[in-house]
Amino acid sequence: MLLTSGSRGDVEPFAALARYASDHGHEVRLGVPDSSGVDLSGLDTVSLEVDFHRLVQAHGISPWTAVRHFRTEVGPGMRRMLAAAVRETLAFAPDLVVHHPKVLTAPAVAQSLGVPHVLVEAVPVLTPTRQFPAPGVVNRDLGRFNRLTYQAVRGAERMFRRDIDRACAQLPGGRTATVPAPAATLLPISPQLLPRPVDWPASVHLTGSWHSDAPVPELDTPVREFLQGGRYLVATFGSMASGDPLARGRAVVESARAHGLRALLLTGWGGLALPDELRSDDVLTVPALPLDAALPGAELAVHHGGAGTVHAVARAGVPHVVVPFLADQPFWGRQLHGLGLAAAPIPKRKLTAERLSAAIDDALGCHSAAERAGREIRTEHGLQTALSVLESC
């Protein structure tokens, strides 16, 4: 049983693992949020009864907004998701439960079934290390105090304890006071982007990214012609929908034109838009595209720094300009810059055409390093490594 929750970047790796495990003889069921935008065709899926797309469209992605709407939207959504995860896992009766950190009821239902559970950290937020602070908690290195920052992330379970208990009332015997630690922890992250910390335990596996090797879908003719029409950059902010999307679109287009580049804008969940007065043949806007199809010919990518987008851009061998919004995104921006794969990140509130133009200059100088990293990432076998770990649990 695979259980994930969140936006597209949280669902895509699990969908890739579900397909790979199924292709290798395993019976797999995938519990997912609604309206993720991920291709789930051919997979055995069940709904976890929460729609993060709708929450973002209605309320944005600000943590303060989430707090304001906790009682009416966020809290009820989490309650439905936690209960659905228990119900669907009991119905499937799997030999192994593999879960996203947000699915806080997964360890208890696995224990009730007498089977192991495996934690998946798409972002390294739960396994403490001295090497860096917990992404999304602190945005600067605290040295020997870095390990303490991971305690804040673990506070989520305390925050939702009542909801977890209510969901686990479905379990025969209810929820026990303690649950076993994960049999393993998997991080679908490339060591090219995050060298393994020396103080991680042996049960934590940095597998490489989980990426489907299925053929890239055929692109529509207008998109294909645009990609073949000269040098271009790709800009996407994924599910990030706060702030002024028109201002961001203006900054991207004006800075691209200053470098003689055309701009492919992927508008996503509404975080990027094109002002009418900037419309021209050198700009193409589409809601979404497979990044594996759009990126390989690009000069660089401007993006929010979500883990899935970070890996897609890096796998294509393309330099980054990261405009982080929240959570783990500042971490990835700093990490990529430190590795020489990206310009210094630009906080979203400081994004201007002038700053972005300077960052594009810096990013274009990262081309050789990005190409080298991309070649290495494309040789990784993250799904194979992950499945090998799961089969040994």
Side-chain angles (χ1 to χ4, degrees):
M1 186 77 184
L2 307 186
L3 299 164
T4 187
S5 191
S7 61
R8 183 177 191 133
D10 298 291
V11 177
E12 281 184 329
F14 276 81
L17 179 60
R19 281 202 172 86
Y20 187 83
S22 181
D23 289 345
H24 286 76
H26 295 277
E27 186 180 354
V28 182
R29 182 164 294 170
L30 174 62
V32 292
D34 299 330
S35 306
S36 69
V38 177
D39 177 14
L40 302 173
S41 58
L43 296 176
D44 178 3
T45 63
V46 291
S47 169
L48 295 187
E49 299 184 7
V50 62
D51 186 340
F52 286 88
H53 188 187
R54 191 183 68 79
L55 290 177
V56 169
Q57 283 189 321
H59 306 302
I61 47 112
S62 162
W64 302 113
T65 301
V67 169
R68 284 200 304 272
H69 294 281
F70 187 86
R71 286 189 176 183
T72 58
E73 296 283 353
V74 179
M78 281 293 291
R79 282 193 288 277
R80 290 193 304 273
M81 184 268 290
L82 296 174
V86 172
R87 183 176 63 253
E88 297 295 348
T89 304
L90 288 174
F92 190 51
D95 301 303
L96 180 66
V97 177
V98 184
H99 65 98
H100 188 286
K102 284 192 183 82
V103 188
L104 297 166
T105 48
V109 69
Q111 181 187 37
S112 178
L113 291 169
V115 302
H117 70 100
V118 172
L119 178 65
V120 176
E121 292 185 58
V123 181
V125 294
L126 291 177
T127 303
T129 177
R130 292 187 182 89
Q131 186 168 311
F132 49 81
V137 175
V138 177
N139 289 330
R140 63 188 181 91
D141 195 320
L142 300 180
R144 61 194 179 94
F145 297 109
N146 281 339
R147 292 181 66 92
L148 297 177
T149 63
Y150 291 81
Q151 295 178 10
V153 181
R154 294 179 180 275
E157 184 166 353
R158 293 190 294 273
M159 180 179 180
F160 291 101
R161 181 170 295 165
R162 185 177 300 176
D163 298 321
I164 296 169
D165 288 340
R166 185 180 296 131
C168 289
Q170 305 171 70
L171 299 176
R175 183 190 184 202
T176 60
T178 60
V179 295
T185 296
L186 303 179
L187 289 97
I189 297 172
S190 170
Q192 296 297 316
L193 305 184
L194 183 72
R196 179 188 170 88
V198 296
D199 54 351
W200 276 357
S203 61
V204 176
H205 303 267
L206 192 70
T207 65
S209 66
W210 297 354
H211 169 62
S212 173
D213 291 327
V216 175
E218 183 77 16
L219 295 174
D220 293 340
T221 299
V223 176
R224 191 169 61 252
E225 290 177 349
F226 183 86
L227 298 183
Q228 295 169 350
R231 298 170 66 236
Y232 67 95
L233 63 76
V234 176
T236 175
F237 295 111
S239 59
M240 303 296 103
S242 67
D244 187 345
L246 287 169
R248 286 195 286 270
R250 181 181 301 280
V252 170
V253 172
E254 289 181 353
S255 57
R257 287 174 176 168
H259 289 81
L261 298 173
R262 297 171 308 123
L264 173 61
L265 308 184
L266 308 183
T267 56
W269 286 8
L272 191 60
L274 178 65
D276 287 339
E277 67 272 18
L278 295 182
R279 294 185 183 278
S280 181
D281 291 344
D282 66 343
V283 182
L284 180 65
T285 62
V286 292
L289 280 178
L291 288 177
D292 289 342
L295 284 168
E299 297 294 318
L300 72 149
V302 180
H303 61 90
H304 56 299
T309 304
V310 163
H311 276 83
V313 175
R315 188 168 54 247
V318 173
H320 315 242
V321 176
V322 177
V323 183
F325 285 60
L326 47 68
D328 60 307
Q329 296 161 12
F331 167 81
W332 287 117
R334 294 193 309 273
Q335 187 72 12
L336 293 167
H337 179 56
L339 293 169
L341 304 176
I346 306 172
K348 73 176 179 70
R349 291 185 178 179
K350 296 184 178 180
L351 180 65
T352 63
E354 292 75 19
R355 284 194 175 95
L356 184 52
S357 186
I360 288 174
D361 274 333
D362 293 342
L364 291 174
C366 299
H367 223 283
S368 295
E371 285 183 337
R372 285 195 299 271
R375 284 195 296 270
E376 292 297 325
I377 293 171
R378 291 192 294 274
T379 67
E380 294 172 359
H381 301 285
L383 290 170
Q384 179 180 325
T385 301
L387 185 58
S388 178
V389 173
L390 296 178
E391 289 175 337
S392 69
C393 290

